[in-house]
Amino acid sequence: MFRLGWTLFRETGKRPLWKFVWNFGVKGFLGVRRFEKRLKRGEYFPAFLFISVTDQCNLRCQGCWVTPCRPARAIPLDTLRGLVATCRDRGVHFFGILGGEPLLYAGLVELFKEFPDCYFQLFTNGLLLDETVAAALREAGNVTPLISIEGDEEVGDQRRGGDDVTRRGLEAVRICNKAGLVTGVATSVCQSNIDTLATEDFLQRARETGAHYLWYYIYRPVGPRPCPELALTRDQILALRRFIVDQRTKAPLLIVDSYWDHLGRAMCPAVLGLAPHVGPGGDVEPCPPIQFSDRNVNDGDYADVLTTSAFLNRFREGIPDVTRGCVLMDDPAALEKLITDDVTDSTGRGTGRDELSRLTVCPSHHCPGEEIPEKSFWFRFVKKHWFFGFGAYG
């Protein structure tokens, strides 16, 4: 952690660094505390919010749940402003911005500048992130680009459905680092890339390219082209967890995950209710790949929409009885039972129910009896007291 702090001090601009420390660090911590206090009072409002601003994309990835509609769906800019303002007024200052490819959304950087007291994590494939965009993000100061890298040059193109994707993504990392931004790399670990990405060599390459943190995901086979053959085995998931825990104490950059608590027990942020997802059509969903909803931000009062979803309440109350892990992988049939007639398919394809019924059970990060606790004092402390200490599983 001290090494990370020194690296950020040397490599990032004063404004991006201050916004990272204050808007994300301090305000994020206070936002979680407010969330925790609300839960104790029997009230609910999220700690963070993830928003897919558009379903437009310039790639076609394996296992992606987003299909560009014709015409493309996008949250109106005025709606997006109102949503961010409503959350900010209730103590929410951190927003994950997704797509499709969010840099295809007109007016996004201007939105960041309109809310200097908030912090935004920009999930992007990096192909549109050139020097001009990076300079605008630095001017805003309150944005961290999180750039997807899905394997080496050959596997990256297979995973992303594009050409020269890995090199171009890493070039975006370099550009962001040069612009003085707090910069991250995200990767979805699957059968075709685990031997390349869950390695010290990849961590070193990411750091040398300019990344300050790396976020590991576990591949989830969903969407119209789920590719279940890419799902990790139980042994591979445990090996990934062991690698993450070991490397946290010595890696040259921060390693992030959102799957395990401080004791190594599986957890699901959607069950915690930490950060629901608003899709490009305005639908409020448990998380990005679960594209079902009974409320829409275009229906009326934003705060009411985010807090009164019967479907999300059933999800938060019912899923812990099924699994601590990802219900899409452990028991998709259990999720089907929660999708009643009042719940709509928010995929934009009209095939969400059929896709869910065809999902096969795959190993998830829920491995009871084989938990691997955190070794790093800092991560153990942060996971216990900052994010995951809410007793959501009873």
Side-chain angles (χ1 to χ4, degrees):
M1 294 297 293
F2 291 115
R3 183 169 57 223
L4 173 67
W6 176 242
T7 299
L8 289 172
F9 180 78
R10 288 187 296 111
E11 296 185 2
T12 59
K14 292 181 180 179
R15 182 177 176 83
L17 181 58
W18 168 247
K19 294 289 186 180
F20 176 73
V21 172
W22 183 251
N23 288 10
F24 173 69
V26 176
K27 289 185 178 180
F29 176 82
L30 295 175
V32 172
R33 283 287 173 255
R34 293 188 190 97
F35 173 81
E36 190 175 21
K37 290 177 180 178
R38 286 193 292 266
L39 288 185
K40 290 179 179 178
R41 296 195 302 265
E43 302 171 2
Y44 174 75
F45 196 86
F48 316 122
L49 192 66
F50 287 97
I51 309 170
S52 289
V53 293
T54 180
D55 63 13
Q56 283 186 286
C57 194
N58 48 359
L59 293 175
R60 298 291 182 269
C61 301
Q62 294 170 320
C64 183
W65 52 86
V66 180
T67 300
C69 295
R70 296 292 182 268
R73 295 183 301 169
I75 297 178
L77 188 55
D78 285 344
T79 300
L80 189 56
R81 289 191 187 103
L83 190 58
V84 172
T86 296
C87 292
R88 179 199 57 190
D89 293 346
R90 286 160 177 77
V92 177
H93 291 89
F94 178 75
F95 300 87
I97 304 297
L98 307 88
E101 170 50 52
L103 288 177
L104 289 168
Y105 183 89
L108 188 60
V109 176
E110 288 71 22
L111 175 84
F112 298 153
K113 294 178 180 179
E114 286 182 38
F115 293 92
D117 54 345
C118 294
Y119 201 78
F120 301 90
Q121 188 172 45
L122 179 65
F123 293 71
T124 174
N125 57 44
L127 302 190
L128 301 175
L129 218 170
D130 57 16
E131 286 85 355
T132 301
V133 174
L137 296 179
R138 177 182 173 124
E139 183 181 352
N142 57 345
V143 188
T144 175
L146 182 62
I147 300 164
S148 298
I149 303 295
E150 291 297 310
D152 60 21
E153 281 68 13
E154 179 181 356
V155 172
D157 285 354
Q158 293 173 351
R159 287 278 296 113
R160 308 309 299 275
D163 296 322
D164 201 21
V165 176
T166 295
R167 184 197 64 79
R168 294 159 70 190
L170 289 171
E171 179 60 23
V173 175
R174 293 188 187 94
I175 289 171
C176 290
N177 179 275
K178 186 177 180 181
L181 298 171
V182 178
T183 305
V185 164
T187 184
S188 180
V189 184
C190 65
Q191 287 285 350
S192 63
N193 64 22
I194 185 171
D195 293 336
T196 302
L197 299 182
T199 66
E200 293 188 40
D201 286 344
F202 178 67
L203 295 179
Q204 189 64 42
R205 184 182 185 188
R207 172 76 282 270
E208 290 174 354
T209 305
H212 301 114
Y213 65 97
L214 193 151
W215 195 338
Y216 279 114
Y217 297 91
I218 294 172
Y219 178 79
R220 289 167 291 187
V222 293
R225 191 164 61 107
C227 301
E229 68 276 6
L230 292 177
L232 298 177
T233 66
R234 183 184 180 97
D235 286 345
Q236 287 174 321
I237 291 172
L238 289 170
L240 176 63
R241 168 63 179 168
R242 192 171 296 108
F243 172 78
I244 291 172
V245 167
D246 289 342
Q247 290 300 316
R248 283 208 225 274
T249 62
K250 57 184 179 181
L253 74 176
L254 187 68
I255 301 177
V256 183
D257 75 83
S258 57
Y259 292 111
W260 295 277
D261 69 8
H262 64 295
L263 297 177
R265 299 172 300 186
M267 53 79 58
C268 169
V271 168
L272 291 173
L274 273 173
H277 174 252
V278 178
D283 299 289
V284 181
E285 304 160 344
C287 67
I290 299 181
Q291 295 178 289
F292 297 95
S293 174
D294 64 350
R295 298 305 307 269
N296 190 291
V297 296
N298 297 307
D299 290 341
D301 180 81
Y302 301 127
D304 179 70
V305 168
L306 289 172
T307 56
T308 60
S309 167
F311 172 53
L312 264 61
N313 284 336
R314 290 198 302 271
F315 186 93
R316 291 193 294 264
E317 293 171 1
I319 296 304
D321 294 331
V322 177
T323 178
R324 289 184 65 104
C326 177
V327 68
L328 280 170
M329 303 176 77
D330 284 328
D331 196 343
L335 177 58
E336 279 191 274
K337 294 177 181 177
L338 298 180
I339 301 172
T340 51
D341 290 341
D342 61 319
V343 177
T344 61
D345 172 356
S346 53
T347 61
R349 299 182 293 273
T351 57
R353 282 179 166 82
D354 289 338
E355 292 169 11
L356 179 58
S357 68
R358 292 196 300 268
L359 287 184
T360 56
V361 173
C362 299
S364 86
H365 58 294
H366 180 42
C367 302
E370 299 184 84
E371 291 81 6
I372 302 172
E374 293 291 341
K375 292 182 179 179
S376 164
F377 166 81
W378 292 107
F379 260 86
R380 199 162 57 243
F381 180 86
V382 167
K383 282 194 168 186
K384 181 177 181 180
H385 297 286
W386 191 350
F387 285 116
F388 308 137
F390 308 126
Y393 294 91

